[in-house]
Amino acid sequence: MLENSALPAGLAEAFAAITGTASARDRHGADLAIEIDWLASSGALVGALPSSMNPNASWSDAPRELADLLRALGRASLPVGRLFEGHINAAQLIGLYGGANLRQRIAARVAAGGLLGVWGADGETPVQAERYGDGYRLSGAKSFCSGLGVVKTALVSASIDDSTRLFAVDVEDDERANPAIWRVSGMRATGSGDYDFEGLVLPADAAVGGPNDYFVEPWFLGGMYRMCAVQVGGLEALLAAIIAHVRSRKLVDDKILQLRIGQIAAQVLMAHAVTDKLSGLIAQTGRPEAIALQALLARDAVESCATTVLSMAERAGGTAAHREGSDLDRIRRDLGLYLRQAVVDTRLAQAGAALLA
């Protein structure tokens, strides 16, 4: 496990600062621009670029080290961890499938402090692309655009010619953004609103990869190890918050609370072990289909552990677990929302079908 003390000095300082502002960012209308600037200054944004975009890449191409880094950031702030995980996802996809000119442009933008993202959830009118001159024209909108107003370039999925393709899009037009719809109990500072792409014209090299490259394994489902790592960091932060609460109440000798904390720690350990196993499998460049299967199982295992921890945390904390302004309440709400993902049951059923086959 990579503790904050084992991080490079710049990253450790940035993560400590992010921990310090996490509570203040827990409100509607907040953004994480300052925290992203800290990540940029620490070298984390550039460090996320793969070797095809950054000759000095180190941990960006090392899944286990990357998982440890994301876990440490998840401990500091789940919303910041979520945005940084999206930045890494976008960087890796551009490194894999983007043309040389696009890779160069994006690398320069990241070096200047630009955050990347991946926006895949369609709004009421799904995003479509059509060929337009030498490039493309988009229509439709995306929902749940994490980092709205902070992300500078987003990879956007669009339907074209009976397939799905990715496009790198400048998303800094405030008139196209609608952050007002993000009214949720957790992960408030991620600002995951809507973005309108209607009529937006892109150059030819904005296309990232060919038809359906977005879904190629092990980069699609296999990438769940990054999300799991951030969530494990959140679980560790929740355990620390519960321990701090019990100590502050001078209840360290309470046998029931000792039992609860032991049970929570065991669940956190299991979630970490599952995530570490998955990142290790990816590091070994295992078979793509095997990685995809393990990713689906790992994601469900982490959710199961986290759901158990959330229930126990509420029992251990009592009303304090719901007290506004407390770390316990904030982390509980952030993690509870972060666990919610699309078509989880469908994908888990696919894993079961693969095992039966």
Side-chain angles (χ1 to χ4, degrees), residues 109 152-154 168-173 176 195 197 200 202:
R109 190 154 213 210
K152 304 301 184 184
T153 302
V169 185
D170 179 341
V171 290
E172 294 186 90
D173 187 346
R176 291 180 176 272
Y195 197 90
F197 293 90
L200 206 156
L202 306 175

Side-chain angles (χ1 to χ4, degrees), residues 10-25:
L11 287 178
E13 292 172 4
F15 286 16
I18 289 168
T19 302
T21 59
S23 180
R25 299 295 179 262

Side-chain angles (χ1 to χ4, degrees), residues 1-355:
M1 295 185 182
L2 184 66
E3 304 303 330
N4 281 9
S5 59
L7 291 167
L11 287 178
E13 292 172 4
F15 286 16
I18 289 168
T19 302
T21 59
S23 180
R25 299 295 179 262
D26 180 33
R27 56 183 175 82
H28 296 301
D31 68 45
L32 299 169
I34 293 175
E35 287 77 3
I36 300 306
D37 285 345
W38 289 337
L39 289 180
S41 297
S42 73
L45 297 188
V46 170
L49 298 177
S51 55
S52 61
M53 299 170 69
N54 174 16
N56 299 317
S58 53
W59 50 262
S60 60
D61 290 328
R64 276 197 141 134
E65 287 80 353
L66 186 54
D68 279 339
L69 185 72
L70 286 167
R71 187 171 57 83
L73 186 53
R75 283 200 306 271
S77 165
L78 283 168
V80 178
R82 168 68 189 91
L83 295 193
F84 188 55
E85 188 277 325
H87 175 82
I88 295 168
N89 188 13
Q92 292 189 343
L93 288 168
I94 293 169
L96 281 168
Y97 303 124
N101 288 340
L102 179 65
R103 294 199 306 269
Q104 185 175 14
R105 287 205 310 273
I106 296 299
R109 190 154 213 210
V110 171
L115 183 72
L116 310 178
V118 179
W119 294 352
D122 280 315
E124 292 185 5
T125 303
V127 172
Q128 296 186 348
E130 62 178 358
R131 285 172 175 79
Y132 186 78
D134 293 334
Y136 301 89
R137 182 168 60 186
L138 302 182
S139 62
K142 289 290 183 183
S143 290
F144 305 111
C145 302
S146 294
L148 194 67
V150 179
V151 167
K152 304 301 184 184
T153 302
L155 284 192
V156 177
S157 58
S159 298
I160 179 172
D161 299 333
D162 298 321
S163 67
T164 297
R165 294 188 70 177
L166 290 173
F167 296 89
V169 185
D170 179 341
V171 290
E172 294 186 90
D173 187 346
D174 292 340
E175 293 186 1
R176 291 180 176 272
N178 178 16
I181 67 163
W182 190 240
R183 289 294 181 267
V184 289
S185 61
M187 303 291 281
R188 292 166 174 167
T190 59
S192 303
D194 290 350
Y195 197 90
D196 183 7
F197 293 90
E198 191 67 37
L200 206 156
V201 176
L202 306 175
D205 67 355
V208 180
N212 298 323
D213 278 349
Y214 182 32
F215 306 114
V216 172
E217 297 297 349
W219 316 112
F220 183 55
L221 294 177
M224 286 184 179
Y225 85 92
R226 297 186 305 266
M227 176 190 70
C228 289
V230 179
Q231 292 174 350
V232 170
L235 285 171
E236 292 176 345
L238 189 58
L239 172 59
I242 295 165
I243 291 173
H245 167 72
V246 171
R247 286 174 174 168
S248 70
R249 296 289 302 276
K250 296 181 171 55
L251 296 172
V252 294
D253 294 324
D254 186 300
K255 298 302 181 185
I256 298 300
L257 289 175
Q258 290 173 353
L259 173 62
R260 294 265 187 263
I261 289 173
Q263 291 172 323
I264 290 171
Q267 294 292 323
V268 174
L269 180 62
M270 284 192 286
H272 177 262
V274 166
T275 303
D276 186 62
K277 179 179 179 182
L278 177 58
S279 63
L281 183 62
I282 293 173
Q284 295 166 11
T285 62
R287 292 182 297 112
E289 61 273 18
I291 290 174
L293 175 60
Q294 287 296 314
L296 290 171
L297 298 177
R299 189 259 166 226
D300 192 68
V302 170
E303 180 184 351
S304 179
C305 290
T307 301
T308 300
V309 167
L310 287 169
S311 176
M312 290 180 177
E314 291 187 351
R315 287 190 171 190
T319 56
H322 300 269
R323 183 175 297 129
E324 290 186 4
S326 71
D327 288 342
L328 188 53
D329 173 61
R330 171 178 54 83
I331 299 166
R332 177 188 64 80
R333 287 183 287 101
D334 284 349
L335 185 59
L337 182 63
Y338 196 3
L339 292 172
R340 300 305 108 206
Q341 301 290 324
V343 297
V344 171
D345 289 338
T346 298
R347 286 176 175 164
L348 191 59
Q350 292 172 353
L355 290 169

